[in-house]
Amino acid sequence: MTAARRPVDLAAYEARARQGPCFVCAFVAGDPEYGHVTLHEDEEHVAFLDRYPTLPGKILVAPKPHVEHVVRDLDEAAYTRLPAYVRLVALAMEDVLAPERTYLLSLGSAQGNAHLHWHIAGLPAEVPYERQQFHALMSENGVLTPPPDASDPLAARLREACVARFGGRPPWPDRPL
C-alpha cells in the first residue's frame, strides 16, 4: 500500500456503531465526537472524508435526513439524485487521485451504521492484486491515519475538485442548489 496502516480496535468500533447515536445524523448536527472533514454538501447530501480510511482519500456520501434503506426509504426522485451526487463526488476523487479503479459500496445494516451511506474508495495503481478489492477495503487489515482537520492538503484538493465538478450547480437539472 502507499501508506502505513494502523490496527483498529474492532470491538470499540462495533460498540460505537451499534450502541452510539447515528454517526451521520450526529455529524450533520455538528456533534464534535462525530466530526468529519466535509468535502461538499448541498441541501440533501453531504460528502466527507472517512475517519477510518482504508485507502487514501476514502470518502463517504450520505443523505442528510436519516434514511436507512436505499430502495424502500427513498422516492424515485431522491433515489435518482443520490447516485448522481455520488458519481460527481467520485469523479472529483478521480480528478485528484487518478485511481486504477474506483470502488463504490453502500454498507451498513439495521444493526449498526444504519444511516444509508456510500463509500467511495480509489484504488491506487501500485496496490498488488492480492491486496485489492475487499482486502483493500476491510478495516480488519488496518486503516490509514489521515490528518484530523480540514487543513489537510489532500482534503483541500478533494474539496476543490468537488466544487469544480459541481460548478455551483446540483448534479440534477430540475432542482435548485
Side-chain angles (χ1 to χ4, degrees), residues 131-148:
R131 294 189 169 274
Q132 293 181 11
Q133 301 180 66
F134 291 113
H135 188 281
L137 298 169
M138 293 177 61
S139 58
E140 290 87 338
N141 297 318
V143 296
L144 305 175
T145 308

Side-chain angles (χ1 to χ4, degrees), residues 159-173:
R159 190 176 295 111
E160 290 169 10
C162 284
V163 169
R165 279 287 173 178
F166 283 91
R169 63 171 174 72
W172 48 89

Side-chain angles (χ1 to χ4, degrees), residues 35-162:
H36 292 271
V37 175
T38 302
L39 301 175
H40 187 270
E41 65 181 300
D42 65 15
E43 62 196 20
E44 291 182 90
H45 313 98
V46 62
F48 53 97
L49 288 177
D50 190 340
R51 286 177 84 176
Y52 307 102
T54 55
L55 291 168
K58 187 165 175 272
I59 300 168
L60 301 179
V61 171
K64 287 182 176 179
H66 189 85
V67 173
E68 293 190 8
H69 196 279
V70 69
V71 178
R72 291 188 299 259
D73 293 350
L74 297 173
D75 64 28
E76 186 173 349
Y79 176 84
T80 302
R81 288 189 301 272
L82 179 57
Y85 188 89
V86 168
R87 179 178 181 272
L88 283 178
V89 174
L91 287 168
M93 182 276 301
E94 288 186 349
D95 291 341
V96 173
L97 297 174
E100 173 185 317
R101 173 77 54 134
T102 297
Y103 298 138
L104 301 174
L105 299 98
S106 178
L107 301 171
S109 76
Q111 296 177 36
N113 289 336
H115 196 120
L116 174 64
H117 62 286
W118 289 89
H119 295 246
I120 302 172
L123 180 71
E126 69 274 8
V127 176
Y129 184 74
E130 64 274 5
R131 294 189 169 274
Q132 293 181 11
Q133 301 180 66
F134 291 113
H135 188 281
L137 298 169
M138 293 177 61
S139 58
E140 290 87 338
N141 297 318
V143 296
L144 305 175
T145 308
D149 61 27
S151 66
D152 170 31
L154 177 57
R157 290 181 16 233
L158 289 166
R159 190 176 295 111
E160 290 169 10
C162 284

